[in-house]
Amino acid sequence: MNTPNVVTWFEIPAADLARAVSFYETVFAVTLVQEPCPSGMKMAVFPAEGDAVKGCLIQHESCKPSADGTTVYLNGGDDLSAPLARAEQAGATIVVPKTLIAPEIGYFAQFIDSEGNRVGLYSMH
């Protein structure tokens, strides 16, 4: 891939990696894989197949959770209502409820995760 503006990797900061892993595993009904990292970083990788954009939760003194920075939108599956409901049950604050962008584009929502990050969800339904 040689397109300069295409997302290739993302990192969501965590103050408490175990808490963040539990939160995201609950929201997406998946298992994250904790990987060893250099320089004292702790990392848990989201599952992804093939050419899908991959990313992780990361805990390190130089990575601070924030609701004010870049917003990452994660795939909400067939209907983002399910992961959005699980996020709320896991303690997230819903800041933008499921909202139609346009019928041909789909829906989005945003929440504040267990660490204080603003995270988005996207789905066609």
Side-chain angles (χ1 to χ4, degrees):
M1 177 181 348
N2 201 14
T3 307
N5 64 328
V6 175
V7 175
T8 59
W9 177 258
F10 66 88
E11 296 176 346
I12 299 174
D16 180 327
L17 189 66
R19 178 180 60 208
V21 166
S22 177
F23 177 84
Y24 281 95
E25 287 182 341
T26 298
V27 171
F28 292 104
V30 298
T31 300
L32 279 70
V33 176
Q34 295 196 39
E35 297 284 345
C37 285
S39 68
M41 290 185 194
K42 294 180 181 178
M43 176 171 55
V45 180
F46 287 90
E49 295 179 11
D51 293 334
V53 173
K54 295 168 181 64
C56 71
L57 300 172
I58 190 153
Q59 181 181 346
H60 188 265
E61 63 189 29
S62 66
C63 302
K64 305 285 187 240
S66 172
D68 301 323
T70 301
T71 303
V72 173
Y73 281 82
L74 301 173
N75 186 341
D78 292 332
D79 182 350
L80 64 82
S81 295
L84 191 60
R86 290 192 300 265
E88 193 166 32
Q89 290 171 350
T93 302
I94 308 303
V95 292
V96 178
K98 181 178 175 179
T99 303
L100 179 64
I101 303 165
E104 67 278 7
I105 297 174
Y107 294 81
F108 82 104
Q110 294 180 352
F111 59 83
I112 304 298
D113 73 2
S114 63
E115 306 307 293
N117 297 298
R118 178 183 296 262
V119 177
L121 293 173
Y122 168 79
S123 167
M124 279 302 297
H125 307 284

